[in-house]
């Protein structure tokens, strides 16, 4: 039986290796299998190798019996025990031994939710550039599309760090008002220091750019440093792809030079660079390389491509691995005029306070502690709303109260409400222990998870959308009867796992779990 920490990545790697027949096919590589996520499909399978992928591997799509048996008997580090592997109309469906998997996971929760250690010498390092934060803009200049990009960048930075990746965030926020607004939103982003080498670096960049200038500097319009032909530069770089074909003459501004300066400084202070591929080594002539992700709103995407090319133009050692993560537009429903980011936040804050007054009464909500609670609920509502749509897609923002309801399953208020319910559950158990109603919680090794065999399997399928109904349906603490304590402890451990998952997920959003609402 498999032991140790189970991992999706390890399992996919082992499944791919087991399925590919020797010798390896000459067709396209990549993963054949994928992890199921939909509740409907999880009723019958945990992993699937689609029929189309099987046809690419085996011609008729039929997996030979010896390979099928090998997949069903697969074992290895990080691979959970497999119950069965069958060929279906959809493809090759694999189901795990779910009760066994649950028992092992519930017995070692921290190994699954604890962040991976980050080392300053890690080979996995990224410069994360949030384009919407460049320049001296204040919070009122931040559009909703830009706010969406900021929240994506903030979440991405923390999610990468939990995987052991070293992340360098740029730019440092210059405006004090914008810095305060981001703190209010619970966005963790560096602020500009009192001293900076930016002016000296900018002067050096101007000198380099003038060598590429398309016209004399005295013929330039006000505010423009120089004019360069990006189209001509791009034509000289055959390896660069994906840039807008309309890129041509660029009027280089002071703001663009400031952005370049911060990116250059971040790259120069990179403590360790990722290994170069052969092509990267040739293109950088032995220089250093690092990965850069530019998180940008759709309205700024074209201009950011100019900054990317300018960096490559002025710096032969500019990172060759630069990706642009473009966030789609935000369409506001029910507002005749555009909303700024602070206006949107204040609206949600007002709605959250009003909903809390209706539920608990004005006197109760006036307590000082409720200012913090409403602040956390507002941040959660904004972040879940902005991040619930795939980042490249347009999102529709409904300004009505329904967007902050605790009744749905996707709102931030709903998640925070259930975190508070779990905290109340464990507080209730602890009070019961202090009153002598319940015994102290036993060691996890003493728990009998077979008492949960049926409900755990159902809970696994519906966890993402049915936790609240499970909590309402199952009276977890129950009456203090000794013959029911075993089941109560197993259920409490299951709820502790859910709580750990909630807390870990909220941490990637810099949201504090609430203990009461």
């Amino acid at each position: 039986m498999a032991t140790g920490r189970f991992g999706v990545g390890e399992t996919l790697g082992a499944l791919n290796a087991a399925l590919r027949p020797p010798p390896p096919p000459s067709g396209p590589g990549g993963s054949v299998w994928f992890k199921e996520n939909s509740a409907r499909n999880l009723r019958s399978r945990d992993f699937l190798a689609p029929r189309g992928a099987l046809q690419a591997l085996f011609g008729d799509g039929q997996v030979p019996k010896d390979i099928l048996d090998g997949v069903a008997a697969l074992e290895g580090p990080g691979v959970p025990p497999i119950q069965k592997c069958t060929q279906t109309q959809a493809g090759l469906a694999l189901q795990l031994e779910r009760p066994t998997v649950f028992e092992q996971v519930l017995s070692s929760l921290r190994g699954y939710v604890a962040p991976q250690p980050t080392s300053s010498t890690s080979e996995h390092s990224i410069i994360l550039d949030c384009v919407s934060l460049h320049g001296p803009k204040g919070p009122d200049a931040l559009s909703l599309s830009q706010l969406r990009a900021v929240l994506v960048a903030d979440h991405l930075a923390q999610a990468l760090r939990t995987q052991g990746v070293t992340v360098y965030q740029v730019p440092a926020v210059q405006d004090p008002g914008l810095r305060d607004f981001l703190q209010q939103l619970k966005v963790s982003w560096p602020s500009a220091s009192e001293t900076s080498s930016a002016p000296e670096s900018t002067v050096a960049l101007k000198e380099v750019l003038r060598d590429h200038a398309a016209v004399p500097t005295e013929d330039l319009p006000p505010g423009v440093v120089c004019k360069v032909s990006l189209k001509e530069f791009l034509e000289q770089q055959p390896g660069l792809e994906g840039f807008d074909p309309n890129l041509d003459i660029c009027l280089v501004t002071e703001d663009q030079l400031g952005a370049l300066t911060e990116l250059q400084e971040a790259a120069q202070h990179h403590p360790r660079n990722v290994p170069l591929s052969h092509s990267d080594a040739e293109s950088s002539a032995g220089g250093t390389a690092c990965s850069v992700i530019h998180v940008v709103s759709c309205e700024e995407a074209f201009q950011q491509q100019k900054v990317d090319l300018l960096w490559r133009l002025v710096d032969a050692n500019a990172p060759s691995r630069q990706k642009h993560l473009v966030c789609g537009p935000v369409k506001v429903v029910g507002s005749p005029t555009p909303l700024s980011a602070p206006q949107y936040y204040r609206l949600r804050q007002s709605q959250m306070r009003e909903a809390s007054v209706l539920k608990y009464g004005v006197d109760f909500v006036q307590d000082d502690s409720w200012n913090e609670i409403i602040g956390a609920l507002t941040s959660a509502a904004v972040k879940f709303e902005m991040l619930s749509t795939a980042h490249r897609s347009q999102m529709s923002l409904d300004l009505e109260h329904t967007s902050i309801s605790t009744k749905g399953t996707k709102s931030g208020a709903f998640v925070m409400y259930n975190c508070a319910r779990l905290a109340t559950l464990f507080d209730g158990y602890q009070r019961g222990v202090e009153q002598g109603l319940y015994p102290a919680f036993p060691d996890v090794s003493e728990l009998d998870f077979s008492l949960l065999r049926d409900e755990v399997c159902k809970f696994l399928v519906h966890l993402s959308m049915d936790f609240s109904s499970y909590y309402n349906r199952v009276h977890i603490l129950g009456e203090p009867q000794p013959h029911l304590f075993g089941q109560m402890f197993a259920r409490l451990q299951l709820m502790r796992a859910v709580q750990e998952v909630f807390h870990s997920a909220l941490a990637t959003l810099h949201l504090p779990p609430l203990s009461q609402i």
Side-chain angles (χ1 to χ4, degrees):
M1 180 182 296
T3 58
R5 184 183 186 276
F6 300 140
V8 173
E10 294 90 332
T11 303
L12 288 173
L15 288 174
N16 286 321
L19 187 57
R20 292 184 181 276
S26 58
S31 181
V32 178
W33 294 83
F34 70 88
K35 175 73 180 72
E36 281 289 5
N37 291 311
S38 75
R40 181 172 64 88
N41 291 334
L42 279 170
R43 293 189 180 99
S44 60
R45 63 189 186 232
D46 295 293
F47 293 86
L48 179 73
R51 183 171 55 181
L54 296 180
Q55 289 173 340
L57 289 174
F58 301 103
D60 61 357
Q62 286 298 121
V63 181
K65 185 177 184 304
D66 60 327
I67 295 179
L68 190 65
D69 292 342
V71 172
L74 188 64
E75 294 182 353
V79 179
I82 296 170
Q83 182 189 70
K84 60 182 179 179
C85 182
T86 54
Q87 186 130 16
T88 66
Q89 283 293 105
L92 204 57
L94 183 143
Q95 188 166 7
L96 302 176
E97 286 280 2
R98 291 179 178 174
T100 304
V101 172
F102 250 67
E103 180 174 351
Q104 293 196 37
V105 171
L106 290 174
S107 299
S108 53
L109 293 178
R110 294 304 303 168
Y112 289 89
V113 298
Q116 298 296 309
T118 301
S119 170
S120 60
T121 60
S122 171
E123 292 185 349
H124 301 284
S125 303
I126 287 175
I127 295 173
L128 190 61
D129 175 27
C130 184
V131 176
S132 299
L133 296 179
H134 279 288
K137 68 167 67 76
D140 292 328
L142 203 65
S143 70
L144 291 180
S145 295
Q146 290 173 324
L147 174 63
R148 185 186 188 188
V150 170
L151 296 179
V152 167
D154 179 59
H155 177 50
L156 179 60
Q158 190 61 24
L160 287 170
R161 287 191 176 108
T162 63
Q163 299 301 313
V165 178
T166 301
V167 180
Y168 298 89
Q169 295 164 269
V170 294
V173 176
Q174 300 178 25
D175 183 78
L178 180 57
R179 178 196 62 209
D180 294 343
F181 177 63
L182 295 180
Q183 289 177 350
Q184 189 178 34
L185 263 174
K186 304 190 186 308
V187 169
S188 179
W189 207 267
S191 299
S193 59
E194 295 295 330
T195 59
S196 173
S197 60
E200 294 81 1
S201 302
T202 301
V203 170
L205 283 176
K206 289 179 180 178
E207 293 300 322
V208 176
L209 281 169
R210 286 193 178 101
D211 294 336
H212 300 274
V215 297
T217 55
E218 57 268 18
D219 298 331
L220 295 173
V224 176
V225 176
C226 66
K227 182 188 292 187
V228 298
S229 174
L230 293 180
K231 183 176 182 179
E232 181 180 331
F233 172 72
L234 196 53
E235 289 172 347
Q236 298 169 358
Q237 312 295 319
L240 292 181
E241 298 177 350
F243 286 90
D244 194 302
N246 295 314
L247 285 168
D248 194 355
I249 298 297
C250 175
L251 300 178
V252 183
T253 65
E254 293 282 356
D255 286 344
Q256 288 174 325
L257 289 184
L260 279 176
T261 298
E262 288 209 72
L263 289 168
Q264 274 192 319
E265 290 183 349
Q268 290 166 359
H269 289 88
H270 216 259
R272 180 169 177 168
N273 297 295
V274 294
L276 291 169
S277 66
H278 179 68
S279 59
D280 287 335
E282 290 181 343
S283 64
S284 62
T288 58
C290 59
S291 298
V292 182
I293 299 177
H294 304 281
V295 182
V296 57
S297 66
C298 57
E299 59 203 44
E300 299 168 309
F302 185 72
Q303 292 299 322
Q304 187 57 28
Q305 289 193 19
K306 295 181 181 180
V307 175
D308 182 331
L309 288 175
L310 283 172
W311 191 4
R312 299 172 194 264
L313 186 149
V314 301
D315 187 352
N317 292 322
S320 59
R321 297 185 184 92
Q322 297 191 45
K323 301 296 183 182
H324 294 241
L325 193 156
V326 181
C327 299
V330 177
K331 179 182 178 182
V332 179
V333 178
S335 176
T337 58
L339 281 181
S340 68
Q343 287 174 325
Y344 163 57
Y345 179 87
R346 288 193 293 269
L347 174 65
R348 286 289 182 249
Q349 186 180 45
S350 174
Q351 292 172 335
M352 197 65 71
R353 185 174 294 277
E354 183 180 340
S356 300
V357 168
L358 287 174
K359 187 169 185 177
Y360 299 103
V362 63
D363 294 335
F364 191 72
V365 175
Q366 291 297 332
D367 185 89
D368 288 342
S369 64
W370 269 92
N371 289 329
E372 294 184 13
I373 293 174
I374 290 174
L377 287 171
T378 304
S379 296
V382 168
K383 291 186 176 186
F384 274 75
E385 198 166 29
M386 283 282 180
L387 299 175
S388 61
T389 303
H391 73 275
R392 293 191 66 89
S393 303
Q394 173 179 295
M395 69 162 293
S396 296
L397 196 61
D398 188 348
L399 300 182
E400 297 298 324
H401 283 73
T402 52
S403 297
I404 62 168
S405 172
T406 62
K407 301 299 183 182
T409 60
K410 296 182 179 180
S411 72
F414 173 81
V415 174
M416 301 294 270
Y417 172 67
N418 279 302
C419 278
R421 295 177 79 183
L422 284 168
T424 301
L425 168 69
F426 288 107
D427 285 345
Y429 165 71
Q430 192 57 43
R431 286 196 303 271
V433 172
E434 294 169 358
Q435 296 169 7
L437 298 176
Y438 306 122
F441 202 86
D443 188 89
V444 176
S445 62
E446 300 175 16
L447 300 181
D448 183 4
F449 292 108
S450 67
L451 297 171
L452 299 181
R453 189 168 294 266
D454 291 334
E455 63 189 72
V456 160
C457 291
K458 295 176 182 177
F459 188 78
L460 171 66
V461 173
H462 299 289
L463 173 60
S464 61
M465 61 181 182
D466 202 30
F467 160 72
S468 188
S469 64
Y470 173 87
Y471 186 92
N472 292 332
R473 179 169 44 85
V474 178
H475 196 37
I476 296 172
L477 290 182
E479 296 296 325
Q481 300 180 26
H483 71 283
L484 297 178
F485 286 160
Q487 187 179 56
M488 180 190 73
F489 287 138
R491 286 174 171 170
L492 281 172
Q493 185 67 6
L494 177 61
M495 291 299 99
R496 185 169 290 165
V498 175
Q499 186 183 54
E500 291 278 4
V501 171
F502 276 1
H503 288 190
S504 297
L506 290 176
T508 67
L509 297 168
H510 300 113
L511 291 173
L514 297 180
S515 58
Q516 64 172 5
I517 292 183

